[in-house]
Amino acid sequence: MAKDKTPVDLEITPRDRRFGRDTKQDRWWFNNDPIGTAFFNALSVTFPRGEAYFIEAVKAHRDGVPPKLAREIRAFVQQEVMHTREHVAFNRKVSETGYDISPLEKVVEESLEKTKDRPAIVDLAVTMALEHYTALLAQQILTNGEAFENADPEWADLWRWHAIEEIEHKGVAYDTWLHATKDWSRWQRWKLKSRVMLLVTMMFWPKRVRGMKTLLAQDGITGARAMGRILWFMFGKPGMLRKALPQWLAYFLPGFHPWNHDDRELIRLADSDYSDAVMPAAEQAVAT
C-alpha cells in the first residue's frame, strides 16, 4: 500500500456551474493566441467521451469499497458528469467559431474503441494515469493565474472550475485501484501502473499535438512553425508540461499517492466564486 492516503477530512464537493451558454466565443479565446487556444481546445475535445470512460472504469471496481471511498466515488461521478456537460457546451462554441473538430473527435472515438476487450483493471490503471495528468495540469492552471490573465473571462472560469474539482478528486481512481488490487504484491501493482503510465504518455500527448496541428492548420499555421510554437507553449512559456514533469516522475516512486502532495490550498484560494453552486445533496453525502 502507499504510505500516505487521501486526507480523512477531504470533501469532494460537486459545484453545479454552467458557462458561456449566452456568450459569443472569440476564435482565439485564450489571450488572442492561436497556440494556447489550440492546446485547450484539443484537450477539451477529449473530455466528454474520456470522462465517461473514467466514470465507468471507477464504477466497475466500487463493490466492497469502504464507506468513505464509496461517498467519494459518488461525488467523483457527479463532478465528472458536470465536466462532460460543460465541455460538450464548450466544444460546441469552438465549432461555432469555425473550427472543424470532427477529426479530433474521431481520434478519441478510435482510441476508446480499442479499449472494449481490455481487462477492467487495465481501464482503471489508464484512468488513474490520466487522472494524474489532469490533476497536474489543474495545478498549473490554478498556480499560474497569469497564463489566463487576458483570456476570455467566461472560459478562464470554466477551466479554473474544472481544475478545482480535478484536484479535489485526484485520489479517487487511485484509492479505487488500491482497493481493487489489495491482494496484489507491491511489485505487481507498481509494474502495471508504471507500464500503463508510460504507454498513456506515449499515446496521449502525440495525439493531442496532432489535434493542435489540425486546428492550427485551419488558421494557416503549419509545418515547423506550428510545431515550434506548440513545443514552446508546452515546455517554454507558459510551459505547463515542463512544470508538471517533477510530479509526473513522482508517479513512479515507491509509496506514491496523489495526496502525498496536498494542494488543497489552491482550491481554497480559487473556490470562493463557486460557493453558491455547491450541490446540497453532494455536500451532505461527503459530510456523512
Side-chain angles (χ1 to χ4, degrees):
M1 289 285 186
K3 62 184 178 182
D4 292 320
K5 302 285 171 51
T6 298
V8 295
D9 59 342
L10 174 71
E11 292 187 0
I12 300 176
T13 309
R15 302 153 183 82
D16 190 5
R17 284 289 309 269
R18 286 168 169 78
F19 299 89
R21 300 301 197 275
D22 301 318
T23 62
K24 185 177 185 299
Q25 182 167 317
D26 292 334
R27 187 171 174 91
W28 296 346
W29 62 268
F30 183 85
N31 304 342
N32 198 34
D33 172 24
I35 310 301
T37 298
F39 177 84
F40 286 103
N41 287 354
L43 199 57
S44 181
V45 170
T46 71
F47 286 140
R49 289 180 176 84
E51 292 185 322
Y53 171 80
F54 297 167
I55 289 169
E56 293 307 313
V58 170
K59 285 170 61 178
H61 295 88
R62 65 183 170 178
D63 289 349
V65 300
K68 179 177 184 292
L69 180 54
R71 293 192 297 270
E72 291 170 349
I73 289 172
R74 287 196 295 272
F76 164 84
V77 169
Q78 287 180 295
Q79 287 183 333
E80 294 288 47
V81 166
M82 288 186 289
H83 297 173
T84 295
R85 181 193 69 202
E86 292 312 298
H87 282 280
V88 166
F90 177 83
N91 295 344
R92 189 179 301 119
K93 292 289 185 178
V94 171
S95 295
E96 289 173 4
T97 67
Y99 285 114
D100 178 10
I101 63 172
S102 60
L104 285 70
E105 292 176 323
K106 184 178 179 181
V107 169
V108 176
E109 290 170 6
E110 290 173 347
S111 297
L112 290 174
E113 186 68 25
K114 295 174 183 176
T115 71
K116 286 189 173 178
D117 297 321
R118 230 163 37 189
I121 196 65
V122 176
D123 288 332
L124 182 58
V126 170
T127 295
M128 187 170 66
L130 288 170
E131 280 288 293
H132 187 55
Y133 261 125
T134 54
L136 299 187
L137 292 175
Q139 290 165 11
Q140 295 305 315
I141 288 169
L142 296 182
T143 301
N144 302 313
E146 67 277 5
F148 281 85
E149 194 170 27
N150 297 310
D152 182 298
E154 188 74 4
W155 305 124
D157 280 348
L158 164 66
W159 286 94
R160 290 190 191 102
W161 164 81
H162 193 160
I164 288 168
E165 297 198 343
E166 287 299 329
I167 290 175
E168 204 168 64
H169 71 227
K170 67 179 180 174
V172 172
Y174 202 91
D175 287 340
T176 304
W177 156 265
L178 291 177
H179 170 80
T181 60
K182 60 183 180 295
D183 296 326
W184 292 21
S185 70
R186 292 179 60 134
W187 165 246
Q188 286 176 302
R189 189 183 293 121
W190 180 87
K191 183 171 65 171
L192 180 58
K193 78 160 194 173
S194 298
R195 288 176 62 188
V196 168
M197 174 57 92
L198 291 173
L199 288 170
V200 163
T201 300
M202 290 168 59
M203 292 186 291
F204 183 83
W205 287 112
K207 289 177 180 177
R208 302 298 77 77
V209 169
R210 288 199 295 273
M212 290 178 70
K213 291 168 73 174
T214 297
L215 296 176
L216 290 170
Q218 297 174 41
D219 288 317
I221 304 171
T222 60
R225 175 170 169 243
M227 195 66 218
R229 292 180 68 179
I230 289 170
L231 291 174
W232 178 249
F233 181 86
M234 290 181 167
F235 297 102
K237 185 176 181 180
M240 297 177 75
L241 293 191
R242 169 178 54 82
K243 292 172 181 176
L245 182 60
Q247 288 197 55
W248 178 81
L249 291 170
Y251 190 84
F252 300 94
L253 295 176
F256 168 82
H257 188 278
W259 283 106
N260 286 357
H261 179 68
D262 190 339
D263 44 7
R264 282 178 290 175
E265 184 60 25
L266 291 175
I267 298 174
R268 285 189 282 269
L269 291 173
D271 200 24
S272 59
D273 291 342
Y274 308 107
S275 58
D276 60 344
V278 169
M279 295 177 64
E283 190 174 44
Q284 182 179 3
V286 295
T288 57

